[in-house]
Amino acid sequence: MSAQLRAAGAIAPVARRVGLRAVRQFHQFPTGGIQRADLAARDLRRSVQFPAKLYHNAVMVRNASFVRLLPKLAIKFVRIPALFGGLMLGAAGWVQYQAIQLGNSATEMYTNIKTGVTDTAFAIWGTATDIANQTKNGFNEKKGQFTMPEWLDNIMKGEGTAGEGSGGPNGGREPPKQSRVAGGAAAAGASAAAYGYGAADEEDDRSPEEVVKDDHMMYITKRMIEIRNLLTRVGQSSSVTLPSIVVIGSQSSGKSSVLEAIVGHEFLPKGSNMITRRPIELTLVNDPQAKVDYGEFPDLGLARVTDFSLIQKTLTELNQSVPESQCVSDDPIRLTIHSPRVPDLSLIDLPGYIQVAGENQPRELKRKISELCDKYIRGPNIILAISAADTDLANSTALQASRRVDPRGERTIGVITKMDLVDPEKGAAILGDKQYPLRLGYVGVISKMPVQTGGLFRRESSNLLASINKNEKAFFNSHPEEFGPNSGAATGTITLRKKLMHVLEQQMSSKLTETTDAITRELEETTYQFKVQYNEQPMSAESYLAASLDDFKHQFHNFANTFGRQQLLELLKDSLDQKVLDQLAARYWNKPIEDLFIAPAEPDSLVDLPKADPKSPYWHRQLDTACSGLTRLGVGRLAATVASNAIQANIDKLLDKSSFAKHPSARQVISEAAALVLADRAYATSDGIEISLKPYKFDPDIQPNEWEKGREHVVGVLQGELEQCQNALKSLESSVGGRKKLREVMGFVDKARKGEIIIEGDHPSGAGGFSAALLARGREAVFLRDRADIINMRIVASKSRKCKSLENKYYCPEIFLDAVATKLAQTAVLFLNVEMLNDFYHRFPREVETKLNEYMNSHGGNGLEKFAREDPKIRRHLDLVQRKELLEMVLMKIQDLHRFDAAGNVKADRDYLKKGRQQRGRWSF
């Protein structure tokens, strides 16, 4: 034992020293900790092995006293925790070393990958840049041979951002959005094309400052025209108006040619017999993004019509829709033309003035045209008065009309056409006329398309404008004294374009503040009305349809909860009661004769039925035949028809109480949806009912309780039939002139039946002093009287003691047939409830939604709006909501214009100038 203690004591200091050395080495050299940890562990093992050998030798040599070694043993045991502490510290150091090594490896890997990717990217970019520079240099060498496309030029210059793809950040799907204030910079340089410099062989002599100013004003004009179109949709009042250019002139003054020269296309109707019969509201939109010129008829739903001959044909047909007897209509034709080569203008072409009405024209035609033109040339519209140079201005109808509404000539532009038909001196005198001065002056044009030689004239916009400009320059430049730069005369279509743009821009800008105030007042009034009338409750066609549909579904749900198997049983039983009465009338009540005037010869009388032999084959056969006729009449089809008619009638009642009552077309759609669902299940339901009723067609098993219920029920049915007979008899009394008269006729018919009076055939004039019609009514009254007597007799028989027992069914056919009908109805209703009623309740709401969606989509995009506006109350609500929304939109747009106009836009001006120069460099004729 002593040897063991000495061995443990020897191990403890060694382990402590080894552990402390390992910890010190780890903290001093953390990167090389693994080797030093291994060496420390090896030293520890050697140190432990050596005392172990000593222990083994000590045990073999001698045996020490345990008591003598206790103090030393206690001291040795205190040293044992140090051994374990050293081991734990060494293990912790090894784990930390492994973690650090792993982190260093990951960092090194990331650095290597990053360096490789970056080097590769720079190499690719450098190669691409070299290729681009070489390509650009090659294009620069060939620059004089062709014009580089804009998208390729941007790529060569390095403009744009990576990832935008073709067409910019939107991938070419839509134009990039711009800020409201700086949005005008997107149209920089557009005024050059709008003036016609791009299409005509004429240089832009404006200074950079003038280009920036013109583009700035053009942007404002474009937005103001958009605002004017919005105000037209609102239904602008007299307090909110924006100017348009109204074109007036007499027939054959060249009015159409001037408009076509401005637009650059032949598109107006042409002819000699009053072609323009309606105002044409023409909106020109400068659209730099348009690849091809196109027109739109917003009221007709015609969009992007690129064939201007089709536009001309459409305008001709719309004008010819006005009858010749009327000749003039104030219903305008709205046409919008988009092109990068037209200015933003709002023009109105009116019918030409006439001096004398034609033979087939109404006498008041001259007055109608004058009144229509006066309606449009009122302020603030700008008047474009067209006059021919070969006509004295004193006789110009257009100038006379403009002087009536604009006596000072502040908003009238005089256009003198056909300048090549008069002497240059006379033409110059007309343009400088002082007798009829106009503040906006006169412009001389030769707008008629020149005659081309060597082939047909092409009708493209650039060719038309360029040819007109070339023809005008050739004429006016040949007379420099009269029309040169120092003459002060304004000539040419390009000049007219400039003047129209400047005048409209000035008028629009001057109306900016006034229009803002007017729109603000209109919006305040509309908001007040919206709050007072509708408590600011929003309304849309979608929400109205949803609310109407929800209300109808709620009513339908209530109907489904109240209309079930019991209601179907009552309806079907009522129908079968009538079939029972038909069988009773055919087998028991009706006389088996062809003519009421012949006395019957009956084998057995219904009066004798209570006393008849119970085994009489006649009465047995009668009851069996009546029962077979009842069970085989097609109860399945009858039940399906009764149920369908009842459900359809209730659906129609629900529709009459719902908001769909104000929408006949939608109401019909819902009603047809119900009929479709019912018809879809009718055949299968009737077939299933017939199968379920097969047992009753051969042996209807009636129980005593069913007999008793039938006895109680049939009395009520017979009493109802008796009441109907009595009411019909009273109606006949009224129709023939009273009861006394009817009794006389009935007495004559009774005598004829008994043979007391012999009548040979039916004479048209009647018999016995009675007319044929009166005799027919007398026979009908006799029939009703006899039927009432029979029913009274059968009511008494049904209440008798003999009819209390099921064994006497042949004496009481009414009770038996009623019990059979009840059994048929109960069985059929079980099948009806499952196969038809529950299926209808499940499918009908979904079918209604489907059919209504199809109905709305069948009317295009306006189906929902058209549906909602069929209700006058909803139409007024929608009008007010839409008016409020449009006014808010207009106010927002016009406030943006205020910010754009007041900001100065130094940066935007630079963009204008830069892009304007680039765009003018790209335009070529």
Side-chain angles (χ1 to χ4, degrees):
M1 189 66 181
S2 167
Q4 295 174 357
L5 293 175
R6 283 197 295 272
I11 292 173
V14 174
R16 183 179 61 189
R17 288 193 302 271
V18 173
L20 292 174
R21 185 174 64 182
V23 171
R24 285 197 302 271
Q25 290 176 353
F26 179 79
H27 284 288
Q28 292 176 3
F29 308 100
T31 58
I34 184 62
Q35 293 85 358
R36 291 173 176 78
D38 291 339
L39 294 174
R42 192 181 308 118
D43 293 341
L44 181 61
R45 288 196 297 271
R46 292 175 179 175
S47 301
V48 172
Q49 291 175 359
F50 176 72
K53 292 180 180 179
L54 293 177
Y55 162 73
H56 179 71
N57 296 332
V59 171
M60 298 298 297
V61 173
R62 58 192 176 91
N63 185 14
S65 175
F66 181 74
V67 177
R68 186 167 55 87
L69 296 176
L70 282 177
K72 294 183 179 180
L73 183 62
I75 294 173
K76 299 298 183 181
F77 274 116
V78 172
R79 296 177 180 178
I80 291 176
L83 174 64
F84 291 101
L87 292 173
M88 292 177 65
L89 289 173
W94 183 80
V95 171
Q96 185 176 3
Y97 164 75
Q98 293 293 338
I100 292 173
Q101 286 294 101
L102 181 62
N104 292 337
S105 301
T107 303
E108 184 179 0
M109 182 182 296
Y110 169 75
T111 303
N112 293 335
I113 294 174
K114 178 180 178 182
T115 303
V117 172
T118 304
D119 294 342
T120 303
F122 275 109
I124 295 174
W125 176 254
T127 304
T129 304
D130 293 339
I131 295 173
N133 291 332
Q134 294 174 9
T135 307
K136 181 178 180 181
N137 293 333
F139 274 110
N140 290 334
E141 294 176 0
K142 301 292 185 178
K143 188 174 181 181
Q145 300 179 12
F146 63 89
T147 302
M148 185 183 302
E150 181 179 359
W151 61 271
L152 185 57
D153 186 48
N154 292 336
I155 292 177
M156 294 304 173
K157 294 177 181 178
E159 295 182 358
T161 57
E164 288 182 356
S166 67
N170 298 318
R173 289 185 297 271
E174 59 182 10
K177 296 182 180 179
Q178 303 167 348
S179 65
R180 293 174 179 172
V181 174
S191 61
Y195 286 156
Y197 291 125
D201 187 13
E202 186 170 341
E203 296 182 358
D204 189 353
D205 56 355
R206 297 176 298 169
S207 65
E209 293 77 10
E210 291 175 341
V211 172
V212 172
K213 182 180 178 181
D214 290 343
D215 291 341
H216 181 88
M217 293 298 296
M218 185 174 175
Y219 176 78
I220 293 178
T221 305
K222 179 188 289 290
R223 298 297 172 241
M224 291 294 283
I225 290 177
E226 293 177 0
I227 291 172
R228 186 189 67 84
N229 293 335
L230 286 175
L231 291 175
T232 303
R233 292 173 55 191
V234 172
Q236 64 185 37
S237 63
S238 58
S239 61
V240 185
T241 55
L242 289 174
S244 297
I245 300 175
V246 181
V247 184
I248 60 174
S250 60
Q251 290 187 9
S252 303
S253 62
K255 182 164 56 70
S256 298
S257 299
V258 171
L259 282 175
E260 290 178 342
I262 294 173
V263 175
H265 286 280
E266 288 187 275
F267 68 98
L268 290 173
K270 290 180 173 59
S272 58
N273 186 20
M274 192 65 186
I275 298 300
T276 304
R277 303 178 182 180
R278 297 170 58 183
I280 300 176
E281 295 185 0
L282 176 62
T283 302
L284 303 183
V285 179
N286 181 268
D287 187 0
Q289 305 298 326
K291 303 298 182 182
V292 63
D293 299 356
Y294 64 91
E296 294 179 337
F297 291 90
D299 294 340
L300 303 180
L302 295 177
R304 298 192 67 86
V305 183
T306 58
D307 186 357
F308 278 78
S309 63
L310 181 59
I311 294 178
Q312 186 180 51
K313 181 179 179 182
T314 303
L315 288 174
T316 302
E317 293 175 351
L318 291 174
N319 278 283
Q320 289 179 350
S321 64
V322 180
E324 293 186 359
S325 59
Q326 185 179 355
C327 282
V328 175
S329 171
D330 59 355
D331 183 21
I333 302 171
R334 294 180 176 87
L335 171 62
T336 303
I337 293 179
H338 296 255
S339 172
R341 292 173 292 273
V342 297
D344 290 294
L345 293 176
S346 176
L347 302 164
I348 302 176
D349 182 26
L350 297 174
Y353 291 104
I354 63 172
Q355 298 298 329
V356 180
E359 182 179 355
N360 298 326
Q361 296 174 341
R363 295 181 179 179
E364 63 273 12
L365 177 59
K366 181 179 179 180
R367 177 181 56 82
K368 285 185 176 181
I369 295 176
S370 179
E371 291 176 352
L372 178 62
C373 293
D374 290 346
K375 175 183 175 181
Y376 278 92
I377 61 178
R378 298 171 185 169
N381 287 340
I382 302 163
I383 304 172
L384 195 65
I386 309 294
S387 302
D390 55 354
T391 304
D392 190 357
L393 291 186
N395 298 326
S396 174
T397 313
L399 288 176
Q400 293 175 1
S402 66
R403 289 176 68 88
R404 289 199 302 268
V405 296
D406 183 29
R408 300 176 60 182
E410 294 180 346
R411 51 185 183 87
T412 302
I413 302 175
V415 178
I416 308 301
T417 62
K418 306 178 183 179
M419 291 289 293
D420 56 339
L421 299 183
V422 296
D423 295 334
E425 295 80 6
K426 182 179 179 181
I430 294 175
L431 296 181
D433 187 78
K434 303 299 182 183
Q435 187 176 359
Y436 304 99
L438 299 177
R439 183 177 179 182
L440 299 179
Y442 291 87
V443 180
V445 297
I446 308 174
S447 55
K448 189 172 181 61
M449 185 175 64
V451 178
Q452 299 293 310
T453 59
L456 295 176
F457 179 76
R458 292 190 300 169
R459 298 176 180 265
E460 286 82 356
S461 173
S462 59
N463 289 338
L464 177 60
L465 184 58
S467 299
I468 291 176
N469 181 70
K470 183 178 181 180
N471 186 46
E472 288 177 330
K473 288 181 66 177
F475 177 78
F476 293 125
N477 290 343
S478 62
H479 306 284
E481 295 183 1
E482 292 81 7
F483 307 114
N486 299 326
S487 64
T491 59
T493 303
I494 300 296
T495 303
L496 178 60
R497 273 192 169 198
K498 293 180 185 178
K499 183 177 287 290
L500 291 178
M501 290 177 64
H502 280 295
V503 171
L504 188 61
E505 288 164 0
Q506 292 172 0
Q507 292 289 332
M508 291 284 190
S509 299
S510 64
K511 291 286 182 179
L512 196 59
T513 303
E514 178 184 344
T515 303
T516 303
D517 296 338
I519 291 173
T520 303
R521 292 192 298 270
E522 289 281 340
L523 181 58
E524 291 175 352
E525 176 64 22
T526 303
T527 304
Y528 174 76
Q529 294 296 332
F530 183 57
K531 183 176 182 179
V532 170
Q533 297 182 23
Y534 302 104
N535 196 23
E536 297 183 340
Q537 180 181 359
M539 172 60 69
S540 65
E542 294 82 0
S543 62
Y544 173 67
L545 176 60
S548 301
L549 198 56
D550 289 343
D551 179 64
F552 176 74
K553 287 183 178 179
H554 178 70
Q555 296 182 26
F556 177 74
H557 180 70
N558 293 336
F559 161 71
N561 291 333
T562 57
F563 189 85
R565 186 168 63 184
Q566 183 60 35
Q567 288 72 27
L568 279 177
L569 178 60
E570 293 175 1
L571 292 171
L572 182 55
K573 186 60 173 62
D574 290 341
S575 296
L576 288 176
D577 286 343
Q578 297 301 317
K579 300 299 180 181
V580 168
L581 293 175
D582 293 342
Q583 293 296 326
L584 289 172
R587 304 298 172 187
Y588 293 91
W589 299 348
N590 292 343
K591 301 294 182 179
I593 55 176
E594 295 293 332
D595 193 350
L596 288 176
F597 293 107
I598 302 175
E602 301 178 2
D604 287 310
S605 176
L606 187 60
V607 179
D608 300 330
L609 179 59
K611 301 177 182 179
D613 183 5
K615 297 181 180 180
S616 172
Y618 175 78
W619 295 114
H620 281 229
R621 187 171 60 252
Q622 289 292 92
L623 183 59
D624 293 342
T625 304
C627 181
S628 177
L630 181 62
T631 58
R632 298 172 186 271
L633 60 83
V635 178
R637 181 175 296 179
L638 175 66
T641 303
V642 168
S644 298
N645 292 341
I647 295 173
Q648 186 72 52
N650 281 279
I651 293 297
D652 291 339
K653 290 180 181 178
L654 293 179
L655 288 171
D656 291 337
K657 296 178 182 178
S658 70
S659 57
F660 288 104
K662 301 175 183 178
H663 308 278
S665 299
R667 183 191 184 283
Q668 184 179 358
V669 168
I670 298 176
S671 181
E672 290 177 352
L676 181 64
V677 176
L678 292 171
D680 187 49
R681 297 297 303 167
Y683 177 78
T685 303
S686 61
D687 189 57
I689 292 174
E690 290 294 340
I691 294 174
S692 65
L693 294 179
K694 271 188 177 181
Y696 304 114
K697 294 181 179 181
F698 302 97
D699 185 18
D701 185 16
I702 303 300
Q703 301 299 320
N705 61 332
E706 295 173 344
W707 176 270
E708 185 61 29
K709 291 180 180 179
R711 182 168 177 263
E712 295 175 359
H713 182 264
V714 79
V715 172
V717 174
L718 293 175
Q719 287 177 347
E721 186 71 8
L722 176 62
E723 185 177 355
Q724 290 184 11
C725 289
Q726 292 173 348
N727 292 335
L729 196 57
K730 290 180 180 179
S731 178
L732 284 175
E733 290 178 357
S734 302
S735 64
V736 299
R739 180 179 299 179
K740 182 178 180 181
K741 187 70 173 178
L742 184 61
R743 285 182 177 178
E744 292 178 357
V745 180
M746 291 172 64
F748 180 80
V749 173
D750 287 336
K751 290 180 180 181
R753 291 177 63 190
K754 294 177 182 179
E756 297 178 1
I757 301 175
I758 299 175
I759 302 176
E760 297 179 358
D762 292 335
H763 200 275
S765 62
F770 302 104
S771 63
L774 193 57
L775 287 175
R777 300 204 176 185
R779 288 194 293 269
E780 185 179 354
V782 169
F783 171 80
L784 292 172
R785 182 198 62 191
D786 294 344
R787 174 61 60 85
D789 293 340
I790 293 173
I791 293 174
N792 270 320
M793 180 182 64
R794 296 314 301 168
I795 290 175
V796 173
S798 299
K799 292 179 179 180
S800 66
R801 184 177 298 179
K802 197 170 187 178
C803 287
K804 287 184 178 181
S805 175
L806 177 59
E807 297 176 355
N808 299 324
K809 63 179 182 179
Y810 294 105
Y811 295 109
C812 310
E814 295 87 359
I815 300 176
F816 181 77
L817 292 177
D818 185 270
V820 171
T822 301
K823 207 171 188 68
L824 294 174
Q826 291 174 345
T827 306
V829 164
L830 292 175
F831 205 87
L832 272 177
N833 186 60
V834 175
E835 292 296 324
M836 177 172 282
L837 198 60
N838 291 341
D839 180 79
F840 179 79
Y841 290 159
H842 174 74
R843 290 178 52 193
F844 176 65
R846 295 167 177 78
E847 191 70 20
V848 167
E849 293 183 357
T850 302
K851 294 300 181 182
L852 281 178
N853 287 333
E854 292 177 357
Y855 168 73
M856 299 302 172
N857 294 332
S858 65
H859 290 77
N862 299 327
L864 197 57
E865 190 78 14
K866 181 180 179 181
F867 162 79
R869 291 183 174 277
E870 289 177 349
D871 187 343
K873 183 178 178 181
I874 301 301
R875 181 173 64 248
R876 291 191 294 270
H877 196 166
L878 286 175
D879 288 341
L880 193 60
V881 171
Q882 292 179 0
R883 179 179 178 83
K884 180 175 176 292
E885 292 175 351
L886 286 173
L887 285 172
E888 290 173 347
M889 184 187 302
V890 168
L891 187 61
M892 180 186 68
K893 286 180 175 291
I894 207 167
Q895 288 174 349
D896 291 344
L897 279 181
H898 275 293
R899 288 192 290 269
F900 175 79
D901 193 38
N905 289 313
V906 176
K907 182 179 182 302
D909 289 345
R910 291 175 180 173
D911 293 340
Y912 264 87
L913 182 59
K914 177 181 177 182
K915 293 187 178 182
R917 289 173 177 172
Q918 294 174 356
Q919 190 168 358
R920 288 195 303 275
R922 288 193 297 271
W923 286 324
S924 61
F925 170 61

